[in-house]
């Protein structure tokens, strides 16, 4: 081991030891300047264009749901390429893979045009290669901050795990938000992280998700949420963390030299013969949204979000906002139907009582989540599995998406990509009486309730709610999902489950939970014994 590397490791371990009981992460005392969103978005061409679009819809905001994974990537890159003055990005995961590098290149091009860029990322799921985003901070027009970072800046899973173990009280708290705002005039908010699999472009893993493209007055509210997180003491500037990585104490001032990094040539990305560089150059679908070829839906809506200090709000030690109680109250108020789409579904007693109350009023409650076969996290599935019988007994309709879809309608990807059999659900959608729709980053689990900050928009639009419900209907067809039912049993026996689906045109039933590997079933049963439901 080189001397410098050894010193860096020792310094990281030293910081980990000293910072253990502190409420703030390493680098929190690094002096930084507060900043806010662009005050006058109408001074940009994009802002003026959006103002023209909204002139016939006073007081309303315009929306278009982006359900196709590839379109989620294209729209982001194309939006970045139109920015004139400001770009604000906030993501839980920002992978350093092909799509991440393409977006980094777009950000550098924007910086070369003089656009001020603020990029805030969480550190909970960082892996080797993701550190490329930190290098963007070297450009004088780009600032990168990391929410609640680890002190150890390397990629040893052992050392990272040890720090998490000893600093669990702090590091368990994560920023799960996903938001992009351009010139304070256009925004994208939803459930997608940055990475090939989140844009459904990776044959080995596809995470189906949704964003909503937003214009109008709601954008300024989304920007205000970003500003609140950006200026939070938990958002640590990249230079403070770079000092840790180099094995020296972080500096105390924001004064630092920045070298001008030029944007690289446009990379190429091809999947199944599709050249996404050409697709980017076409300008679609973004150009269609601004031109009216892809019409926006204008409606009243509100931003629902957690405060950066959510943990203190939950404990009652500080004032602030909480997202989940507002979504729960909207669910409690439904009269005919509640639809929930969530990759992680861990309902405890309070949620079971909510569903029982709705069913007592003959409200139809329908849920689409991941099957064990499609689950990306066995631990999360272990928190859900024990509640399935209780949910079915209360009349909740449960569907679990298959990893191999029979047809791709509503899935967000092509039949070719679906044929790899690596499909998984990642969307977070809530439909209330097919009149209102919530779309955002919030899963229906205890982690989103207590331990992650979340953001989303509640839209009063029967049209968008109905469109989303129709996609739900397509994905819950037995060709694409397992329909769960209770198996007849003798009195005194624990209720068994049946997984019903259609294969080769015929309805079939499974009495054992479908899984990619047999040991997954055993692992889920073992994990379910752990007393960690509040962490899931």
């Amino acid at each position: 081991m080189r001397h410098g590397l050894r010193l860096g490791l020792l310094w990281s371990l030293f910081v980990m030891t000293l910072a253990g009981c502190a409420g703030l992460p390493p680098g929190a005392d690094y002096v930084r300047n507060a900043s806010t969103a662009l005050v006058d978005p109408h001074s940009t061409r994009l802002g003026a264009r959006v103002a023209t679009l909204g002139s016939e819809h006073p007081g309303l905001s315009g929306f278009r749901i982006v359900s196709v994974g590839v379109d989620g990537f294209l729209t982001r890159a194309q939006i970045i390429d139109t920015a004139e003055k400001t770009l604000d990005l906030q993501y839980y995961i920002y992978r350093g893979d092909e799509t991440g590098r393409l977006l980094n290149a777009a950000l550098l091009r924007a910086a070369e045009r003089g656009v001020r860029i603020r990029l805030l990322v969480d550190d909970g799921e960082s892996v080797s290669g993701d550190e490329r985003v930190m290098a963007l901070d070297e450009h004088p027009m780009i600032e990168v901050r990391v929410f609640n970072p680890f002190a150890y800046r390397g990629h040893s899973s052992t050392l990272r795990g040890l720090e998490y173990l000893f600093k669990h009280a702090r590091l368990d708290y994560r920023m799960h938000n996903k938001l992009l705002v351009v010139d304070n005039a256009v925004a994208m908010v939803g459930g997608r992280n940055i990475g090939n699999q989140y844009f459904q472009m990776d044959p080995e893993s596809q995470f189906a998700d949704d964003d909503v493209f937003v214009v109008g007055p709601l954008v300024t509210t989304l920007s205000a949420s970003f500003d609140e997180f950006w200026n939070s003491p938990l958002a640590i500037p990249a230079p403070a963390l770079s000092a840790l990585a180099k094995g020296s104490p972080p500096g105390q001032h924001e004064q630092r030299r920045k070298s001008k990094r030029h944007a690289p040539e446009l990379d190429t990305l091809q999947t199944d013969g599709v050249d996404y560089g050409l697709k980017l150059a076409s300008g679609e679908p973004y150009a269609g949204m601004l031109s009216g070829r892809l019409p926006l839906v204008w409606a009243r809506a509100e931003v629902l979000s957690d405060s950066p200090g959510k943990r203190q709000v939950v404990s009652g030690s500080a004032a602030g906002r909480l997202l989940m109680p507002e979504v729960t109250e909207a669910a409690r108020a439904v009269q005919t139907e509640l639809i929930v789409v969530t990759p992680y579904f861990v309902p405890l007693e309070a949620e079971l009582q909510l569903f029982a109350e709705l069913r007592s009023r003959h409200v139809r409650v329908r849920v689409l989540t991941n099957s064990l076969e499609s689950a990306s996290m066995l631990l999360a599935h272990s928190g859900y599995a024990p509640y399935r019988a209780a949910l079915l007994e209360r009349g909740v309709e449960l569907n679990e998406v298959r990893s191999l879809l029979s047809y791709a309608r509503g899935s967000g990807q092509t039949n070719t990509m679906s044929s790899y059999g690596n499909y998984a659900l990642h969307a977070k959608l809530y439909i209330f009486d097919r009149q209102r729709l919530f779309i955002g980053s919030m899963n229906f689990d205890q982690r989103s309730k207590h331990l992650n900050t979340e953001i989303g928009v509640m839209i009063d639009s029967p049209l968008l709610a109905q469109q989303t419900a129709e996609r739900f209907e397509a994905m819950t067809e037995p060709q694409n999902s397992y329909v769960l039912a209770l198996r007849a049993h003798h009195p005194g026996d624990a209720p068994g489950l049946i997984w019903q689906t259609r294969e080769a045109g015929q309805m079939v039933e499974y009495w054992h939970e479908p899984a990619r590997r047999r040991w997954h079933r055993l692992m889920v049963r073992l994990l379910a014994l752990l007393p960690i439901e509040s962490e899931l």
Side-chain angles (χ1 to χ4, degrees):
M1 184 183 290
R2 290 181 302 163
H3 181 66
L5 183 59
R6 185 183 294 112
L7 286 177
L9 178 58
L10 289 174
W11 170 252
S12 295
L13 292 173
F14 175 71
V15 171
M16 287 161 56
T17 302
L18 291 185
C21 298
L24 294 175
D29 58 348
Y30 189 89
V31 179
R32 51 263 172 89
N33 298 321
S35 59
T36 58
L38 182 65
V39 175
D40 183 16
H42 293 168
S43 63
T44 67
R45 287 189 295 271
L46 181 58
R49 175 59 181 155
V50 166
T52 300
L53 287 174
S55 61
E56 297 180 2
H57 310 278
L60 305 182
S61 294
F63 303 94
R64 187 173 182 86
I65 294 178
V66 182
S67 58
V68 176
V70 171
D71 287 349
F73 165 68
L74 296 174
T75 305
R76 283 173 171 81
Q78 291 159 355
I79 287 176
I80 291 170
D81 279 337
T82 66
E84 286 183 58
K85 293 189 176 181
T86 61
L87 274 165
D88 294 327
L89 301 91
Q90 181 180 11
Y91 284 99
Y92 176 60
I93 290 174
Y94 197 117
R95 289 283 178 253
D97 56 17
E98 290 88 351
T99 52
R101 291 199 298 272
L102 283 167
L103 290 178
N104 287 350
L107 291 173
L108 284 169
R109 290 194 299 272
E112 290 289 292
R113 299 193 304 271
V115 177
R116 183 202 72 179
I117 298 171
R118 299 183 294 175
L119 174 56
L120 176 61
V121 295
D122 190 77
D123 201 31
E125 297 288 339
S126 297
V127 298
S128 180
D130 293 353
E131 70 276 0
R132 291 186 181 96
V133 75
M134 303 287 281
L136 295 175
D137 189 81
E138 296 174 11
H139 195 287
M141 295 303 296
I142 303 177
E143 287 185 77
V144 178
R145 294 184 181 178
V146 181
F147 191 87
N148 196 17
F150 282 67
Y152 170 63
R153 302 313 303 164
H155 297 293
S156 165
S157 57
T158 300
L159 290 177
R160 201 171 157 87
L162 282 172
E163 183 179 356
Y164 181 81
L165 177 65
F166 286 105
K167 317 301 177 194
H168 177 268
R170 175 177 70 81
L171 292 173
D172 202 30
Y173 183 60
R174 306 309 330 164
M175 180 195 77
H176 199 235
N177 307 38
K178 292 97 174 176
L179 176 65
L180 166 63
V181 185
V182 183
D183 289 337
N184 202 8
V186 164
M188 286 190 78
V189 61
R192 284 191 182 98
N193 294 301
I194 303 300
N196 293 355
Q197 61 188 165
Y198 298 101
F199 298 124
Q200 295 168 271
M201 298 161 68
D202 182 357
E204 298 301 316
S205 174
Q206 303 107 44
F207 286 167
D209 216 323
D210 290 82
D211 300 304
V212 61
F213 176 84
V214 186
V215 301
L218 205 71
V219 175
T220 57
T221 309
L222 290 167
S223 284
S225 173
F226 178 92
D227 288 346
E228 192 177 12
F229 276 83
W230 180 259
N231 295 311
S232 162
L234 289 171
I236 307 303
L241 300 178
S242 296
L244 285 174
K246 293 174 182 176
S248 58
Q252 302 299 306
H253 301 282
E254 195 172 26
Q255 297 175 354
R256 63 193 186 276
R257 286 188 158 187
K258 283 195 169 190
S259 59
K260 197 165 187 179
R261 298 184 71 225
H262 295 283
E265 295 296 319
L266 181 66
D267 292 332
T268 59
L269 172 59
Q270 291 192 354
T271 303
D272 291 327
V274 178
D275 188 331
Y276 292 100
L278 291 177
K279 282 184 169 290
L280 278 173
S282 75
E284 298 294 343
Y286 178 55
M289 296 182 203
L290 291 183
S291 70
R293 289 194 309 276
L294 299 175
L296 304 178
V297 175
W298 295 86
R300 298 195 181 280
E302 61 178 323
V303 174
L304 302 183
S305 63
D306 291 316
S307 297
K310 174 179 179 172
R311 174 171 285 179
Q312 287 72 38
V313 181
V314 170
S315 68
S317 61
R321 301 179 312 280
L322 293 175
L323 186 159
M324 184 167 271
E326 298 194 56
V327 175
T328 301
E329 286 309 303
R332 198 182 306 279
V334 299
Q335 300 298 310
T336 59
E337 181 187 55
L338 171 66
I339 292 176
V340 177
V341 179
T342 178
Y344 310 125
F345 185 46
V346 186
L348 300 188
E349 190 58 36
E351 291 77 33
L352 291 177
Q353 289 180 2
L354 170 63
F355 294 143
E357 175 190 326
L358 294 176
R359 291 298 299 136
S360 72
R361 295 193 279 110
H362 307 289
V363 172
R364 191 178 185 188
V365 180
R366 310 172 70 189
V367 177
L368 176 64
T369 190
N370 277 311
S371 62
L372 176 56
E373 180 186 273
S374 66
S376 61
M377 292 182 60
L378 295 183
L379 190 60
H381 195 80
S382 74
Y384 153 67
Y387 289 96
R388 289 181 293 201
L391 289 163
L392 292 170
E393 288 172 341
R394 286 164 173 78
V396 175
E397 300 173 39
L398 285 180
N399 290 79
E400 298 178 352
V401 74
R402 286 167 37 174
S403 61
L404 178 60
L405 307 178
S406 289
Y407 62 89
R409 186 169 68 89
S411 71
Q413 61 192 36
T414 63
N415 281 315
T416 300
M417 190 61 70
S418 298
S419 68
Y420 289 100
N422 293 311
Y423 187 86
L425 191 66
H426 199 256
K428 311 100 169 61
L429 302 163
Y430 302 79
I431 307 169
F432 311 94
D433 289 330
R434 304 204 181 197
Q435 298 296 305
R436 307 175 73 200
L437 168 70
F438 176 82
I439 177 171
S441 66
M442 188 194 80
N443 297 304
F444 200 101
D445 63 6
Q446 302 309 304
R447 174 159 285 278
S448 282
K449 188 175 184 179
H450 300 292
L451 299 173
N452 288 345
T453 66
E454 311 285 0
I455 191 171
V457 292
M458 183 76 79
I459 309 171
D460 293 321
S461 170
L463 177 57
L464 288 180
Q466 181 61 33
Q467 289 175 354
T468 306
E470 288 172 359
R471 290 177 47 228
F472 174 89
E473 300 284 2
M475 291 304 298
T476 53
E477 287 288 330
Q479 295 95 325
N480 285 336
S481 71
Y482 297 105
V483 182
L484 271 67
L486 290 171
R487 187 170 71 237
H489 59 283
H490 298 291
D493 290 347
L497 298 178
I498 300 173
W499 287 261
Q500 302 169 328
T501 191
R502 180 175 288 118
E503 296 177 354
Q506 300 294 319
M507 289 298 298
V508 297
E509 290 185 351
Y510 289 97
W511 286 34
H512 295 285
E513 185 167 12
R516 290 179 182 268
R517 296 172 180 83
R518 281 187 175 183
W519 66 268
H520 284 180
R521 299 190 193 105
L522 175 60
M523 182 60 69
V524 165
R525 287 195 290 270
L526 293 175
L527 291 171
L529 299 176
L530 298 176
I532 55 172
E533 287 177 319
S534 62
E535 295 279 329
L536 303 176

